[in-house]
Structures are given as C-alpha cells and as structure tokens.
Amino acid sequence: MTNRLIERVSHAGGRPIPDAATGEIIGHTREDSAAALEAMISRGVAAQRSWAALSPHARGMTLHAAAAKVAEYAEELADAVSREQGKPLNGPGARLEVEACQRWLHTNADLELAPEVLVDDAENYSELIYRPVGLVGAIGPWNWPLMIMIWQIAPALKIGNAVIVKPSEYTPLSVQALVSVLNEVLPDGVLQVVVGGPEVGAALPAHPAFGKIMFTGSTRTGKAIIKASAQNVTRLTLELGGNDAGIVLPGTDVRKHAENLFWGAFINTGQTCAALKRLYVHESQYDETVAALAEIANATPMGRGVDEESLLGPLQNRMQFAVVERLVEDAKARGRRIVTGGDPAPELGPNFFRATIVADAEDGDPLVDEEQFGPVLPVIRYADLEDAIARANRLDAALGASVWSDDAQRAREVALRLEAGTVWINKHGGIHPLVPFGGIKGSGYGLEFGFEGLKATGVPVVITSR
C-alpha cells in the first residue's frame, strides 16, 4: 500500500530510512539544525501560554479529539511503524501500539488534578497544586516509537505544557507521521518534532528553555542527559535500560503459563525495555520449562512485519543485530545449550535472528548480565529459592521482574523481595495507563502513567493561608 503519512512527512533529498525487514528505502527524513531547534523553542514558549490558559477540561477535550485522529489514521500509522521499526502488524505489534496511543491519550484527557488539601485547621490551611513546567523535551527510543512518545506527550500536554519531541534517528518517519496527525487538532506550536542524530538529542537537556526532559533509552545516554541538564537543574523523568529477571517457583504448572512466559520475553522480538530477559527456573521443572518455551518459539511465525501472518519480526537495526549475535556466539563458546534458534535467518532478510532459547546459562555470562534486547532468552537453573532471589537482585538494572507460581500468597511474598520498579505475578511487561511505571537503581527514576505521571510533568506548589 502507498502510505500517505510517510509521503506527507518524507523530505526530498533527506536522509534515507530503510524498511527494517528488507532494507528497501521507505522515505527520507529531514535533519534539523541548531537554528531550527531555536525557532521551535521560540514557537513552543509562545504557544504554551495560551494553551496553559485553557481549562483542564478544554485541554482534555482536545486530547480526546487527537485520539480520534489517531484512530482515523490507525492503519497507516501501524503500517509506518511496522515498516520502519520492523514489528509485525498483528499480535503484540504495530496495531496494538497504535491502539495504545489512543488509550493513553483518552486516559490522560480525563485525568484531573484537584488541589490536595494538606492541612485544614484553625491555624493553617495548606493545599498542594501542580502548575505546568512550560516547555517539555521528550526524547524517545526506536523500539516502541509511537507508544512511548505518547506516554510522554499526553500528560505533558494535559497539564498545560508545550512539547518538543525528538525521535530516535532510527525511527524518525513514524514519529513525524504521528505528530502530523496530532497537529491536525492541536493548536499551532504546542507540539513540534525536532529530527536529527545524537547531537540534536544532546541539545535538549542542555538548553535552559526546557523545564522538563523525559527520556526513554539506554542507561548510558540517561547518564549523559543527567550531566547535560545539571547546569539548568532541569526536572527529569528517565526510563532506562532493563535486564528483567523472572523466577518460576517449584510446583508451578509450567504448561499453563508457558505462553505468557514466552511473550513476556519475546514481545516485539525481545526489543522491549521491560521484557523478560533472564529466567530462573527451579531444577524440578527446568527441563519441562525449557521444552515448553522451545516448542512455542518453533511454532511462532517470523517474517516481515507487514505480512499478516508474522508474529515475530527483525531486529530494528544492524547495531542491535550485532549485539544479539555476539551474545549468542559467546554463549555457544561457553558450552551453553542452544535448544532452538541460535543463528541469523538471512533467508527472511538482513536483520532477522531466529527465536532462541539458551539452556544451562549461568550468572556471569554476558548473555545473562547484559541486556540482549533481542529474540533470545537464557534460562538459568536454581536449587534454592533464596539463592534465586539474590541472583535476580544482583544486577544494577531494575526496571521490572516477575514471579510465576500457582500459589498466590507465596508468589506475593517473593515479589515483595525483588528489587524492581514493577513486579508482575504470572505475567511480565503488562502495563496500564493508570498504573505508575518506572525503574529503580540503574533503570532510572521518576514515574510515568496515571496521576503520578501527570504530576511528574508539572511543578508542585504549596499554597498556605490563615
């Protein structure tokens, strides 16, 4: 199909953007200069004043209209992200991503932050309110380029900010397409997109005009943002890298949970920050679990994202492909057992790597200790639950974790001891627009989603009288 949104934002003479699955050029992106960013900042600062002057209800109605526009263009947005990012249209893929954009817009549109009364007695009346920070810089990743950008855009707009988004240089066209759709209903200048490489992204946290920077991506880049923003004491929300652990408790009906275990790890072909990336299984059920996961991996169709039957797609770029290949080759060299997969699938395209289950992995293996961010799951055997909990908690990455058991009370007891921003029971990676989400330790700080996420895009102010 001809994608009119890609055609709308494609820039003749700009940098070519390939289809992640085939390498064919799907469009060309502009590359913005420092002067272009300064002009956007000026427009955003001016537009923010009148946007903030509207009532929260009026801003919410505009966000509902924006969600309706996303629905109107849903198939073209899904096609754009499927081609550019590589994720399949179906399953937990591109269509789901576009649906999530609508859901987060609608949810944030309806959130209202009423003044919070802190003290009300004869001597003191104090209340907490939230004001917009002014201009928000939103820096997004390439794995869920539309959905994660909406996570940042929706609350920032609802509270009365203007937003300048900076997409990954790997997935700029789909984000420009999304912004163009939203801007069919938003006031001019309230939402803009700046496009370019790392130097453009670095300019946002260093600029004093931004009251808030929101970033989803690697811990290394997150640390650079902290350093760049320090001079301006800019407020930050950072959702950084994850290396999520899961623990299967003894006595669990593994076959019942196998499908959820698999998709907890392989959603978006493993390219998800809060995916299951290392699985600890009790020795009494180890072989059964490995066999069940391998069976699903072998039965799950992999192919080009726009092919309706595909449920797994390619790695988005050659850089990430090289990371996955290196980690799997290292596992082979260490004598780890490749149960299924373990090599590229060049017959499908240049960036495809087969869904891979690695058994007999050990803590200390690069495949276990590093975030693979691809279609590979190492499965680690344990004998003692205390040891498994300690091993799950030993890394600095602490975005998510999961416990798998048919004993709800026992699962909760273990969940309370895992060090992660979110701990799931009998699922992994599921999110809700009203449930706060964020990392701890090296996986960042600050919360997104719901009332906590809305507050994070504002400035808290205490008003005291009497």
Side-chain angles (χ1 to χ4, degrees):
M1 63 178 280
T2 299
N3 191 307
R4 57 178 168 162
L5 290 181
I6 291 180
E7 291 182 343
R8 181 194 292 184
V9 300
S10 192
H11 186 77
R15 180 169 61 90
I17 300 298
D19 183 309
T22 67
E24 298 171 358
I25 302 305
I26 61 172
H28 295 78
T29 183
R30 71 176 200 267
E31 300 274 61
D32 292 320
S33 64
L37 175 59
E38 289 294 338
M40 290 182 198
I41 290 171
S42 296
R43 285 196 298 273
V45 169
Q48 189 268 333
R49 298 187 188 100
S50 56
W51 176 246
L54 297 174
S55 69
H57 176 74
R59 292 194 296 269
M61 293 305 294
T62 304
L63 290 187
H64 280 307
K69 277 293 178 184
V70 172
E72 180 182 331
Y73 289 96
E75 194 61 20
E76 284 158 299
L77 285 168
D79 177 80
V81 77
S82 181
R83 294 175 188 276
E84 187 176 48
Q85 197 281 329
K87 60 170 55 73
L89 291 168
N90 294 317
R95 289 182 175 125
L96 177 144
E97 180 166 2
V98 175
E99 289 171 5
C101 290
Q102 298 168 55
R103 189 180 183 196
W104 258 257
L105 284 165
H106 281 308
T107 299
N108 279 273
D110 289 334
L111 294 180
E112 299 290 347
L113 286 179
E116 180 183 346
V117 177
L118 307 173
V119 179
D120 185 6
D121 58 27
E123 298 179 351
N124 188 299
Y125 178 84
S126 295
E127 64 181 22
L128 180 65
I129 64 171
Y130 286 85
R131 294 173 176 162
V133 299
L135 186 62
V136 171
I139 305 172
W142 50 258
N143 59 330
W144 293 90
L146 305 189
M147 182 177 71
I148 292 178
M149 201 60 84
I150 286 292
W151 293 355
Q152 299 172 344
I153 291 169
L157 289 179
K158 177 57 193 290
I159 209 167
N161 300 300
V163 184
I164 295 177
V165 303
K166 194 279 175 189
S168 166
E169 58 266 38
Y170 289 110
T171 53
L173 291 178
S174 55
V175 174
Q176 290 176 74
L178 174 65
V179 170
S180 74
V181 167
L182 299 175
N183 278 336
E184 290 189 14
V185 297
L186 290 171
D188 184 55
V190 167
L191 177 63
Q192 301 173 83
V193 55
V194 63
V195 187
E199 68 287 348
V200 174
L204 272 67
H207 201 291
F210 290 95
K212 172 85 179 187
I213 296 292
M214 305 179 75
F215 170 72
T216 297
S218 71
T219 300
R220 182 180 65 181
T221 303
K223 290 178 178 179
I225 287 173
I226 294 170
K227 184 176 180 180
S229 67
Q231 186 65 33
N232 301 317
V233 198
T234 309
R235 295 175 178 273
L236 302 174
T237 294
L238 303 175
E239 193 259 274
L240 307 180
N243 194 347
D244 292 13
I247 301 178
V248 179
L249 303 188
T252 303
D253 185 345
V254 172
R255 290 285 172 178
K256 181 175 75 174
H257 299 292
E259 195 78 22
N260 282 341
L261 275 166
F262 178 83
W263 284 112
F266 287 86
I267 182 173
N268 197 26
T269 316
Q271 299 166 107
T272 297
C273 298
L276 175 60
K277 297 190 174 82
R278 48 195 175 108
L279 181 62
Y280 297 86
V281 181
H282 190 262
E283 59 186 5
S284 63
Q285 296 180 282
Y286 186 83
D287 292 338
E288 180 187 10
T289 302
V290 168
L293 291 170
E295 181 180 316
I296 297 171
N298 287 330
T300 304
M302 174 177 281
R304 189 179 180 192
V306 293
D307 294 341
E308 294 285 347
E309 65 273 15
S310 297
L311 292 177
L312 295 172
L315 277 304
Q316 200 283 325
N317 56 74
R318 294 302 296 175
M319 173 193 70
Q320 197 56 41
F321 181 92
V323 170
V324 171
E325 188 171 42
R326 170 179 62 82
L327 293 174
V328 172
E329 288 303 311
D330 178 87
K332 292 177 182 177
R334 293 171 185 270
R336 308 313 180 209
R337 181 161 49 101
I338 308 299
V339 182
T340 189
D343 55 1
E347 72 279 7
L348 297 177
N351 292 339
F352 284 89
F353 200 96
R354 301 183 206 284
T356 301
I357 304 296
V358 180
D360 306 327
E362 296 287 347
D363 288 286
D365 291 356
L367 179 59
V368 175
D369 286 13
E370 298 179 27
E371 183 182 22
Q372 68 272 41
F373 219 66
V376 183
L377 179 63
V379 189
I380 305 127
R381 189 190 311 264
Y382 76 89
D384 177 71
L385 180 57
E386 292 297 316
D387 177 56
I389 294 170
R391 291 157 78 182
N393 288 339
R394 72 185 180 85
L395 299 181
D396 190 49
L399 187 57
S402 57
V403 183
W404 303 78
S405 175
D406 298 323
D407 184 332
Q409 181 58 35
R410 193 177 184 202
R412 179 174 171 78
E413 290 169 358
V414 174
L416 288 170
R417 298 177 61 193
L418 293 179
E419 298 171 0
T422 300
V423 181
W424 293 276
I425 295 175
N426 293 335
K427 58 182 178 179
H428 197 113
I431 52 175
H432 188 285
L434 290 176
V435 178
F437 178 74
I440 62 174
K441 295 165 63 172
S443 290
Y445 49 74
L447 291 172
E448 299 178 277
F449 309 170
F451 286 102
E452 296 303 319
L454 186 59
K455 291 175 182 178
T457 62
V459 178
V461 177
V462 174
I463 306 296
T464 297
S465 60
R466 290 189 194 138

Coordinates of all heavy atoms in Angstrom, one line a residue, residues 344-397:
P344 N 21.3 -16.4 12.7 CA 20.5 -15.5 11.9 C 19.6 -16.3 10.9 O 19.8 -17.5 10.7 CB 21.6 -14.7 11.1 CG 22.9 -14.8 11.9 CD 22.8 -16.2 12.5
A345 N 18.7 -15.5 10.4 CA 17.8 -16.1 9.4 C 17.8 -15.3 8.1 O 16.9 -14.5 7.8 CB 16.3 -16.2 9.9
P346 N 19.0 -15.3 7.4 CA 19.2 -14.4 6.2 C 18.1 -14.7 5.1 O 17.9 -13.7 4.3 CB 20.6 -14.8 5.7 CG 20.8 -16.2 6.3 CD 20.1 -16.2 7.6
E347 N 17.5 -15.8 5.1 CA 16.5 -16.1 4.0 C 15.3 -15.2 4.2 O 14.5 -14.9 3.3 CB 16.1 -17.5 4.0 CG 15.3 -18.0 5.2 CD 16.1 -18.3 6.5 OE1 17.3 -18.1 6.5 OE2 15.5 -18.8 7.4
L348 N 15.1 -14.6 5.5 CA 14.0 -13.7 5.7 C 14.3 -12.3 5.5 O 13.5 -11.5 5.2 CB 13.5 -13.9 7.2 CG 13.0 -15.3 7.6 CD1 12.7 -15.3 9.1 CD2 11.8 -15.6 6.8
G349 N 15.6 -11.9 5.6 CA 16.0 -10.6 5.5 C 17.3 -10.3 6.2 O 17.7 -11.1 7.0
P350 N 17.9 -9.1 6.1 CA 19.2 -8.9 6.7 C 19.2 -8.8 8.2 O 20.3 -9.0 8.8 CB 19.6 -7.5 6.0 CG 18.3 -6.9 5.6 CD 17.4 -8.0 5.2
N351 N 18.2 -8.4 8.8 CA 18.2 -8.2 10.3 C 17.5 -9.2 11.1 O 17.2 -9.0 12.3 CB 17.6 -6.8 10.6 CG 18.4 -5.7 10.1 OD1 19.6 -5.8 9.8 ND2 17.8 -4.5 9.9
F352 N 17.2 -10.4 10.5 CA 16.4 -11.4 11.2 C 17.4 -12.3 12.0 O 18.4 -12.8 11.5 CB 15.6 -12.2 10.3 CG 14.4 -11.5 9.8 CD1 14.4 -10.7 8.6 CD2 13.2 -11.6 10.5 CE1 13.3 -10.0 8.2 CE2 12.0 -11.0 10.0 CZ 12.1 -10.2 8.9
F353 N 17.0 -12.6 13.3 CA 17.7 -13.6 14.1 C 16.6 -14.5 14.7 O 15.6 -14.1 15.2 CB 18.4 -12.9 15.2 CG 19.5 -13.7 15.8 CD1 20.8 -13.6 15.3 CD2 19.3 -14.7 16.8 CE1 21.9 -14.4 15.9 CE2 20.3 -15.5 17.3 CZ 21.6 -15.3 16.9
R354 N 16.8 -15.8 14.5 CA 15.8 -16.8 14.9 C 15.5 -16.7 16.4 O 16.4 -16.4 17.3 CB 16.2 -18.2 14.6 CG 16.5 -18.4 13.1 CD 16.9 -19.8 12.8 NE 17.7 -19.9 11.6 CZ 17.2 -19.7 10.3 NH1 15.9 -19.5 10.2 NH2 18.0 -19.8 9.3
A355 N 14.3 -17.0 16.8 CA 13.9 -17.0 18.2 C 14.7 -18.1 18.9 O 14.7 -19.2 18.5 CB 12.4 -17.3 18.4
T356 N 15.4 -17.7 20.0 CA 16.4 -18.6 20.6 C 16.2 -18.8 22.1 O 16.0 -17.8 22.8 CB 17.8 -17.9 20.4 OG1 18.0 -17.7 18.9 CG2 18.9 -18.8 20.9
I357 N 16.2 -20.1 22.5 CA 16.2 -20.4 23.9 C 17.6 -21.0 24.2 O 18.0 -22.0 23.6 CB 15.1 -21.5 24.2 CG1 13.7 -20.9 23.7 CG2 15.1 -21.8 25.6 CD1 13.2 -19.7 24.5
V358 N 18.2 -20.5 25.2 CA 19.5 -20.9 25.6 C 19.4 -21.5 27.0 O 19.1 -20.9 28.0 CB 20.5 -19.8 25.7 CG1 21.9 -20.3 26.1 CG2 20.6 -19.1 24.3
A359 N 19.7 -22.8 27.1 CA 19.6 -23.5 28.4 C 21.0 -23.6 29.0 O 22.0 -23.4 28.4 CB 19.0 -24.9 28.2
D360 N 21.0 -24.0 30.3 CA 22.2 -24.1 31.1 C 23.1 -22.9 31.2 O 24.3 -22.9 31.3 CB 23.1 -25.3 30.5 CG 22.2 -26.6 30.5 OD1 21.4 -26.8 31.3 OD2 22.5 -27.4 29.5
A361 N 22.4 -21.7 31.0 CA 23.1 -20.4 31.2 C 23.4 -20.2 32.6 O 22.8 -20.8 33.5 CB 22.3 -19.3 30.6
E362 N 24.4 -19.3 32.9 CA 24.9 -19.1 34.3 C 25.0 -17.6 34.5 O 25.3 -16.8 33.5 CB 26.2 -19.7 34.5 CG 26.2 -21.3 34.5 CD 25.5 -21.9 35.7 OE1 25.2 -21.1 36.7 OE2 25.2 -23.1 35.7
D363 N 24.8 -17.1 35.7 CA 25.1 -15.8 36.1 C 26.6 -15.5 35.8 O 27.4 -16.3 36.0 CB 24.8 -15.5 37.5 CG 23.3 -15.5 37.8 OD1 22.7 -14.5 37.4 OD2 22.8 -16.5 38.3
G364 N 26.8 -14.3 35.3 CA 28.2 -14.0 34.8 C 28.4 -14.1 33.3 O 29.3 -13.5 32.8
D365 N 27.5 -14.9 32.7 CA 27.6 -15.0 31.2 C 27.2 -13.6 30.7 O 26.2 -13.0 31.2 CB 26.6 -16.0 30.7 CG 27.0 -17.4 31.0 OD1 28.1 -17.7 31.5 OD2 26.2 -18.3 30.6
P366 N 27.8 -13.1 29.7 CA 27.4 -11.8 29.1 C 25.9 -11.9 28.6 O 25.2 -10.9 28.8 CB 28.3 -11.7 27.9 CG 29.6 -12.3 28.3 CD 29.1 -13.5 29.1
L367 N 25.4 -13.0 28.2 CA 24.0 -13.1 27.7 C 23.1 -12.9 28.9 O 22.0 -12.5 28.7 CB 23.8 -14.5 27.1 CG 22.4 -14.8 26.6 CD1 21.9 -13.7 25.6 CD2 22.3 -16.2 26.0
V368 N 23.5 -13.3 30.1 CA 22.7 -13.1 31.3 C 22.9 -11.7 31.9 O 21.9 -11.0 32.3 CB 23.0 -14.2 32.4 CG1 22.3 -13.9 33.7 CG2 22.7 -15.6 31.8
D369 N 24.1 -11.2 31.9 CA 24.4 -10.0 32.7 C 24.2 -8.7 31.8 O 24.0 -7.6 32.4 CB 25.9 -10.0 33.1 CG 26.1 -10.9 34.3 OD1 25.2 -11.7 34.6 OD2 27.2 -10.8 34.9
E370 N 24.2 -8.9 30.5 CA 24.0 -7.7 29.6 C 22.6 -7.8 29.1 O 22.0 -8.9 28.9 CB 25.0 -7.7 28.4 CG 26.4 -7.6 28.9 CD 27.4 -7.6 27.7 OE1 27.0 -7.2 26.6 OE2 28.5 -8.0 27.9
E371 N 22.0 -6.6 28.8 CA 20.6 -6.6 28.2 C 20.8 -7.0 26.7 O 21.3 -6.2 25.9 CB 20.0 -5.2 28.3 CG 18.6 -5.1 27.8 CD 18.0 -3.7 27.9 OE1 18.8 -2.7 28.0 OE2 16.8 -3.6 27.9
Q372 N 20.2 -8.1 26.3 CA 20.4 -8.6 24.9 C 19.4 -7.8 24.0 O 19.8 -7.6 22.8 CB 20.1 -10.1 24.8 CG 18.7 -10.6 25.1 CD 18.4 -10.9 26.5 OE1 18.8 -10.1 27.4 NE2 17.7 -11.9 26.8
F373 N 18.2 -7.4 24.4 CA 17.3 -6.6 23.6 C 17.1 -7.3 22.2 O 17.2 -6.6 21.2 CB 17.9 -5.2 23.4 CG 16.8 -4.1 23.5 CD1 16.1 -3.9 24.7 CD2 16.5 -3.4 22.4 CE1 15.1 -3.0 24.7 CE2 15.5 -2.4 22.5 CZ 14.8 -2.2 23.6
G374 N 16.8 -8.5 22.3 CA 16.5 -9.3 21.0 C 15.8 -10.6 21.3 O 15.5 -10.9 22.5
P375 N 15.6 -11.4 20.3 CA 14.8 -12.6 20.5 C 15.6 -13.8 21.1 O 15.7 -14.9 20.5 CB 14.4 -12.9 19.0 CG 15.6 -12.4 18.2 CD 16.1 -11.2 18.9
V376 N 16.2 -13.6 22.3 CA 17.0 -14.6 22.9 C 16.6 -14.6 24.4 O 16.6 -13.6 25.0 CB 18.5 -14.3 22.7 CG1 19.3 -15.5 23.4 CG2 18.9 -14.2 21.3
L377 N 16.4 -15.8 24.9 CA 16.1 -15.9 26.4 C 17.0 -17.0 27.0 O 16.9 -18.1 26.7 CB 14.6 -16.3 26.6 CG 14.3 -16.5 28.1 CD1 14.4 -15.2 28.9 CD2 12.9 -17.0 28.2
P378 N 17.9 -16.5 27.9 CA 18.7 -17.5 28.7 C 17.9 -18.0 29.9 O 17.2 -17.3 30.6 CB 19.9 -16.7 29.2 CG 19.3 -15.3 29.3 CD 18.3 -15.1 28.2
V379 N 17.9 -19.3 30.1 CA 17.2 -20.0 31.2 C 18.2 -20.6 32.1 O 19.1 -21.3 31.8 CB 16.2 -21.1 30.6 CG1 15.3 -21.6 31.8 CG2 15.4 -20.5 29.5
I380 N 18.1 -20.2 33.4 CA 19.1 -20.5 34.4 C 18.4 -21.4 35.5 O 17.4 -21.1 36.0 CB 19.6 -19.2 35.1 CG1 20.1 -18.2 34.0 CG2 20.7 -19.5 36.1 CD1 19.5 -16.9 34.0
R381 N 19.1 -22.5 35.8 CA 18.6 -23.4 36.8 C 19.0 -23.0 38.2 O 20.1 -22.4 38.5 CB 19.3 -24.8 36.5 CG 18.8 -26.0 37.3 CD 19.7 -27.2 37.1 NE 20.0 -27.4 35.6 CZ 19.4 -28.3 34.9 NH1 18.4 -29.0 35.3 NH2 19.8 -28.4 33.6
Y382 N 18.0 -23.2 39.1 CA 18.4 -23.0 40.5 C 17.8 -24.1 41.4 O 16.9 -24.8 41.0 CB 17.8 -21.6 41.0 CG 16.4 -21.5 41.3 CD1 15.8 -21.8 42.5 CD2 15.5 -21.1 40.3 CE1 14.5 -21.8 42.8 CE2 14.1 -21.0 40.5 CZ 13.6 -21.4 41.8 OH 12.2 -21.3 42.0
A383 N 18.5 -24.3 42.6 CA 18.0 -25.3 43.5 C 17.4 -24.7 44.8 O 16.5 -25.3 45.4 CB 19.2 -26.2 43.9
D384 N 17.9 -23.5 45.2 CA 17.5 -22.8 46.4 C 16.8 -21.5 46.1 O 17.4 -20.7 45.4 CB 18.7 -22.6 47.3 CG 18.3 -21.9 48.6 OD1 17.7 -22.5 49.4 OD2 18.7 -20.7 48.7
L385 N 15.6 -21.3 46.6 CA 14.9 -20.1 46.2 C 15.6 -18.8 46.8 O 15.6 -17.8 46.1 CB 13.4 -20.1 46.8 CG 12.6 -18.9 46.5 CD1 12.4 -18.7 45.0 CD2 11.2 -19.1 47.1
E386 N 16.2 -18.9 47.9 CA 16.9 -17.7 48.5 C 18.0 -17.3 47.5 O 18.3 -16.1 47.3 CB 17.5 -18.0 49.9 CG 16.4 -18.2 50.9 CD 15.6 -16.9 51.2 OE1 16.2 -15.8 51.2 OE2 14.4 -17.0 51.3
D387 N 18.7 -18.3 47.0 CA 19.8 -18.1 46.0 C 19.2 -17.4 44.8 O 19.8 -16.5 44.2 CB 20.5 -19.4 45.7 CG 21.6 -19.2 44.7 OD1 22.5 -18.4 44.9 OD2 21.5 -19.9 43.6
A388 N 18.1 -17.9 44.3 CA 17.5 -17.3 43.1 C 17.1 -15.9 43.3 O 17.3 -15.0 42.4 CB 16.2 -18.2 42.7
I389 N 16.5 -15.5 44.4 CA 16.2 -14.2 44.7 C 17.4 -13.3 44.7 O 17.4 -12.2 44.1 CB 15.4 -14.1 46.0 CG1 14.0 -14.8 45.9 CG2 15.2 -12.6 46.4 CD1 13.3 -14.9 47.2
A390 N 18.4 -13.7 45.4 CA 19.7 -13.0 45.4 C 20.3 -12.8 44.0 O 20.8 -11.7 43.7 CB 20.7 -13.7 46.3
R391 N 20.2 -13.8 43.2 CA 20.7 -13.7 41.8 C 19.9 -12.8 41.0 O 20.4 -12.0 40.1 CB 20.8 -15.1 41.2 CG 21.9 -15.9 41.8 CD 21.6 -17.4 41.7 NE 22.0 -17.9 40.3 CZ 21.9 -19.1 39.9 NH1 21.3 -20.0 40.7 NH2 22.2 -19.5 38.7
A392 N 18.6 -12.8 41.2 CA 17.7 -11.9 40.4 C 18.0 -10.5 40.8 O 17.9 -9.6 39.9 CB 16.2 -12.2 40.7
N393 N 18.4 -10.2 42.0 CA 18.6 -8.8 42.5 C 20.0 -8.3 42.3 O 20.3 -7.1 42.6 CB 18.2 -8.7 44.0 CG 16.7 -8.8 44.3 OD1 15.9 -8.6 43.4 ND2 16.4 -9.2 45.5
R394 N 20.9 -9.1 41.8 CA 22.3 -8.7 41.9 C 22.7 -7.7 40.9 O 23.7 -7.0 41.1 CB 23.2 -10.0 41.7 CG 23.2 -10.5 40.3 CD 24.0 -11.8 40.2 NE 23.9 -12.3 38.9 CZ 24.8 -11.9 37.9 NH1 25.8 -11.1 38.2 NH2 24.7 -12.3 36.7
L395 N 21.9 -7.5 39.8 CA 22.3 -6.5 38.8 C 21.8 -5.1 39.1 O 20.9 -4.9 39.8 CB 21.8 -7.0 37.4 CG 22.3 -8.3 36.9 CD1 21.8 -8.6 35.5 CD2 23.9 -8.3 36.9
D396 N 22.4 -4.1 38.5 CA 22.0 -2.7 38.7 C 20.8 -2.4 37.9 O 20.0 -1.5 38.3 CB 23.2 -1.8 38.2 CG 22.9 -0.4 38.6 OD1 22.6 -0.1 39.8 OD2 23.0 0.5 37.8
A397 N 20.5 -3.1 36.9 CA 19.3 -2.9 36.1 C 18.1 -3.4 36.9 O 18.1 -4.5 37.5 CB 19.3 -3.7 34.8

